[in-house]
């Protein structure tokens, strides 16, 4: 029979990898709770129009990378390529601005973009996405960047750098776009076909082009920082000042633009040298005006998303794989012991211990090998003779010591062993 493989660019997270993923998620939830964020979960599928309007219909994401399909009634739906637009849609739909205190949200989950897969770039990937609504103060910009960097530091990720820029606002950016368009059109014959098109439709995108010859051209292009209005300059100056007060290092990158069109003023990326071409571990910025654009109240917003696959790739290089085996592995020899053991295993699990065994009547040797392989702390060995005497052998797998326990005392015995192990039962 022909084997069925996973969809290109969509990865399985195997049991050996899942503990690291869980660790990354648990730490995210913990720090986000410390910073006052509340979890939100939105559907993976949204109306296609949400992203066209939210992200911008001349972005690569919307033009080329969305998984869009018609449902049975012909409505165009998309797999979400990011979470910001979805969270805003939910915020508006449920009128969460009326619920006092609900302004800071996070979402952890899969996103979908039909990009060319390579290391660190996939078609299904996962983000930790963070959003704040209704706050204009540059202090919030600095705090959000601080949160992203502190999280990465706390999970042990080293060698990342924060890059920041200001993208101006709806008042000052149009002039920059015009100047940049003129510059690009002067060089249009040397630009790649994508950038030649971008020059007309969305000139800022040229800064993101990976074609080397385009890179050389835009290296001489005018930069937004020379065009932003006084209000934007003032906002950006304060953001930088607050970053300095928090002791958070950053570098200014006047050519930093983002792949989504909704940003105004502050934009940032957290980059690394260790991931090849996919150098952004995360990115975000301010998007005042987007909520209004999506039919909601005119509340400002700021947020970021971290790419979990990229975090995993970076952590894999620095962290020992950590995975606990079961606390106890049970080895049963003979049908009576197996029958007794079947109930004992459930009882111990109900008591809070992580317990494993198999019911395949294998030899003691192969069952013990399994206890080793799964990394059990203890093994319980129960044969027919022992069962008759009301006892079993308990083996400390790390110290290779074995002793006899009364079956009637097994629960207490395991509880006291767990205490010695610092309370670990699973
Ligand atoms: P983004 O820069 O498109 O921003 O994505 C954020 C992060 O997601 C990237 O820095 C990267 O780590 C990861 N990522 C993006 N595409 C892929 C991919 N194909 N494979 C693996 N990882 C990927 C956003 O999505 C914005 N919604 C962030 C934001 C939230 N801005 C404001 N609020």
């Amino acid at each position: 029979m022909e084997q069925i493989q996973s969809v290109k660019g969509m990865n399985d997270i195997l049991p050996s990898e899942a503990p690291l993923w869980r660790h990354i998620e648990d730490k995210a939830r913990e720090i986000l709770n410390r910073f006052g964020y509340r979890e939100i979960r939105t559907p993976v599928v949204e109306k296609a129009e949400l992203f066209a309007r939210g992200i911008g219909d001349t972005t690569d994401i919307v033009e080329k990378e969305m998984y869009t399909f018609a449902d049975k009634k012909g409505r165009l739906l998309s797999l979400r390529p990011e979470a910001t637009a979805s969270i805003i849609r939910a915020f508006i739909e449920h009128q969460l601005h009326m619920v006092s205190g609900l302004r800071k949200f996070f979402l952890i989950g899969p996103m979908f973009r039909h990009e060319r897969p390579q290391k660190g770039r996939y078609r299904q990937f996962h983000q930790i996405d963070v959003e704040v609504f209704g706050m204009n103060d540059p202090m919030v910009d600095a705090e959000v960047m601080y949160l992203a960097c502190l999280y990465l530091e706390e999970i042990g990720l080293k060698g990342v750098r924060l890059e920041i820029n200001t993208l101006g606002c709806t008042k000052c950016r149009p002039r920059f776009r015009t100047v940049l368009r003129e510059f690009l059109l002067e060089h249009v014959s040397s630009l790649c076909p994508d950038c030649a098109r971008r020059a007309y439709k969305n000139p800022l995108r040229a800064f993101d082009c990976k074609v080397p010859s385009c890179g050389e051209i835009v290296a001489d292009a005018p930069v937004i920082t020379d065009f932003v209005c006084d209000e934007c300059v003032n906002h950006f100056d304060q953001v930088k000042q607050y970053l300095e007060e928090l002791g958070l290092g950053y570098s200014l990158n006047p050519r930093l633009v983002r792949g989504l069109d909704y940003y105004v003023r502050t934009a940032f990326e957290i980059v690394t040298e260790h991931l090849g071409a996919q150098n952004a571990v995360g990115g975000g910025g301010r998007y005042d005006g987007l909520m209004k654009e999506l039919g909601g109240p005119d509340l400002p917003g700021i947020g970021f998303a971290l790419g979990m696959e990229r975090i995993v790739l970076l952590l894999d290089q620095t962290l020992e794989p950590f995975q606990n085996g079961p606390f106890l592995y049970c080895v049963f020899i003979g049908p009576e012991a197996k029958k007794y053991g079947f109930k004992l295993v459930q009882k111990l699990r109900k008591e809070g211990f992580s317990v494993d065994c198999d019911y395949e009547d294998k030899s003691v040797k192969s069952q013990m090998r399994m206890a080793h392989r799964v990394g059990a702390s203890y093994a319980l060995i129960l044969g027919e003779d022992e069962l008759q005497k009301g006892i079993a052998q308990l083996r400390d797998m790390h110290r290779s010591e074995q002793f006899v326990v009364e079956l009637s005392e097994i629960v207490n015995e395991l509880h006291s062993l767990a205490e010695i192990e610092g309370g670990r039962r699973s």
Side-chain angles (χ1 to χ4, degrees):
M1 234 16 163
E2 201 193 326
Q3 201 188 332
I4 301 172
Q5 305 236 316
S6 64
V7 176
K8 188 175 173 197
M10 305 205 179
N11 301 318
D12 300 308
I13 296 168
L14 299 175
S16 59
E17 300 158 323
L20 181 56
W21 279 80
R22 219 170 32 239
H23 170 72
I24 290 168
E25 285 179 21
D26 290 349
K27 292 294 269 185
R29 288 202 161 80
E30 189 274 313
I31 194 170
L32 286 160
N33 184 43
R34 251 190 281 154
F35 277 70
Y37 287 81
R38 305 275 290 270
E39 183 166 7
I40 184 163
R41 301 184 191 198
T42 61
V44 169
V45 175
E46 297 272 0
K47 293 189 178 143
E49 188 196 348
L50 174 69
F51 302 113
R53 246 162 77 191
I55 301 171
D57 48 17
T58 55
T59 57
D60 281 0
I61 296 180
V62 172
E63 269 190 342
K64 306 192 221 165
E65 297 168 3
M66 282 221 291
Y67 282 90
T68 299
F69 54 95
D71 72 0
K72 291 203 166 121
K73 293 217 165 124
R75 287 172 293 225
L76 279 188
L77 305 178
S78 298
L79 298 184
R80 65 179 177 204
E82 60 115 44
T84 312
S86 304
I87 298 175
I88 295 179
R89 196 252 329 123
F91 183 85
I92 299 169
E93 191 168 327
H94 302 282
Q95 302 198 326
L96 294 184
H97 56 287
M98 312 288 267
V99 183
S100 65
L102 271 186
R103 296 196 289 180
K104 306 205 292 192
F105 302 89
F106 73 93
L107 180 150
I108 301 178
M111 310 292 153
F112 305 84
R113 294 183 194 174
H114 196 277
E115 297 190 78
R116 201 160 45 76
Q118 55 174 245
K119 184 181 172 197
R121 188 168 72 192
Y122 310 103
R123 290 181 175 171
Q124 174 175 321
F125 60 97
H126 297 76
Q127 285 185 343
I128 298 166
D129 184 276
V130 173
E131 311 291 350
V132 184
F133 302 138
M135 300 191 205
N136 257 320
D137 199 303
M139 242 178 215
V140 180
D141 305 35
E143 187 181 279
V144 156
M145 289 186 254
Y146 178 71
L147 162 62
C149 293
L150 182 65
Y151 167 68
L152 294 175
E153 185 187 315
E154 287 189 0
I155 56 170
L157 212 134
K158 297 194 178 73
V160 291
R161 199 177 68 246
L162 173 66
E163 291 193 346
I164 64 171
N165 193 17
T166 179
L167 297 177
C169 63
T170 47
K171 274 188 275 164
C172 53
R173 195 157 54 200
R175 196 162 78 84
F176 174 65
R177 280 164 72 109
T178 309
V179 173
L180 182 63
R181 177 176 295 124
E182 280 164 12
F183 171 87
L184 293 174
L185 290 178
E186 279 168 28
H187 298 83
V188 74
S189 56
S190 320
L191 292 172
C192 75
D194 269 347
C195 282
R197 217 166 28 85
R198 285 172 182 140
Y200 292 100
K201 285 168 68 180
N202 197 346
L204 267 78
R205 298 255 48 76
F207 284 109
D208 252 357
C209 184
K210 300 281 186 280
V211 177
S213 51
C214 294
E216 281 167 29
I217 293 168
V218 297
D220 295 326
V223 289
I224 180 98
T225 17
D226 294 333
F227 292 82
V228 289
C229 62
D230 289 348
E231 280 169 64
C232 288
V233 169
N234 181 33
H235 186 93
F236 196 45
D237 283 346
Q238 290 189 61
V239 171
K240 289 184 279 185
Q241 191 188 323
Y242 288 128
L243 286 177
E244 276 149 36
E245 276 173 31
L246 290 173
L248 191 62
Y250 63 85
S251 40
L252 293 173
N253 179 356
R255 288 187 176 74
L256 170 71
V257 291
R258 307 263 307 123
L260 310 98
D261 273 354
Y262 47 60
Y263 294 107
V264 292
R265 297 195 166 161
T266 314
F268 63 96
E269 278 190 348
I270 300 172
V271 296
T272 169
E273 259 86 67
H274 305 294
L275 280 179
Q278 305 312 315
N279 68 344
V281 184
R286 191 165 266 290
Y287 47 81
D288 307 343
L290 178 59
M291 191 167 304
K292 188 160 173 238
E293 177 64 34
L294 292 175
D298 190 8
L299 293 177
I302 180 165
F304 65 86
L306 302 172
M308 295 177 73
E309 279 75 6
R310 296 187 188 175
I311 294 175
V312 167
L313 278 169
L314 289 167
L315 281 183
D316 252 9
Q317 298 166 4
T318 52
L319 267 196
E320 289 286 305
F322 53 94
Q323 185 171 19
N324 282 340
F327 188 75
L328 184 73
Y329 194 90
C330 293
V331 174
F332 305 124
I333 314 141
E336 288 307 314
K338 184 174 158 190
K339 219 152 124 194
Y340 180 90
F342 173 61
K343 282 196 291 183
L344 178 66
V345 165
Q346 317 315 329
K347 182 177 165 189
L348 294 176
R349 287 171 175 161
K350 215 169 158 185
E351 282 287 328
F353 294 100
S354 100
V355 181
D356 211 351
C357 67
D358 70 46
Y359 298 116
E360 286 176 73
D361 300 319
K362 292 200 192 111
S363 69
V364 183
K365 209 167 147 193
S366 93
Q367 291 191 59
M368 284 306 289
R369 208 179 300 132
M370 198 60 172
H372 265 295
R373 206 178 285 161
V374 296
S377 305
Y378 295 90
L380 182 85
I381 304 141
L382 181 64
E384 307 279 283
D385 275 0
E386 278 119 337
L387 181 61
Q388 292 228 321
K389 291 185 200 146
I391 56 166
Q393 303 282 334
L394 195 57
R395 186 174 180 82
D396 182 327
M397 300 295 286
H398 301 308
R399 295 191 187 85
S400 300
E401 287 165 7
Q402 199 159 310
F403 48 96
V404 173
V405 279
E406 303 267 335
L407 282 174
S408 57
E409 276 303 303
I410 187 80
V411 173
N412 292 336
E413 187 67 41
L414 290 176
H415 276 303
S416 42
L417 287 172
E419 290 316 314
I420 297 168
E421 295 230 356
R424 182 176 101 76
R425 286 169 175 75
S426 56

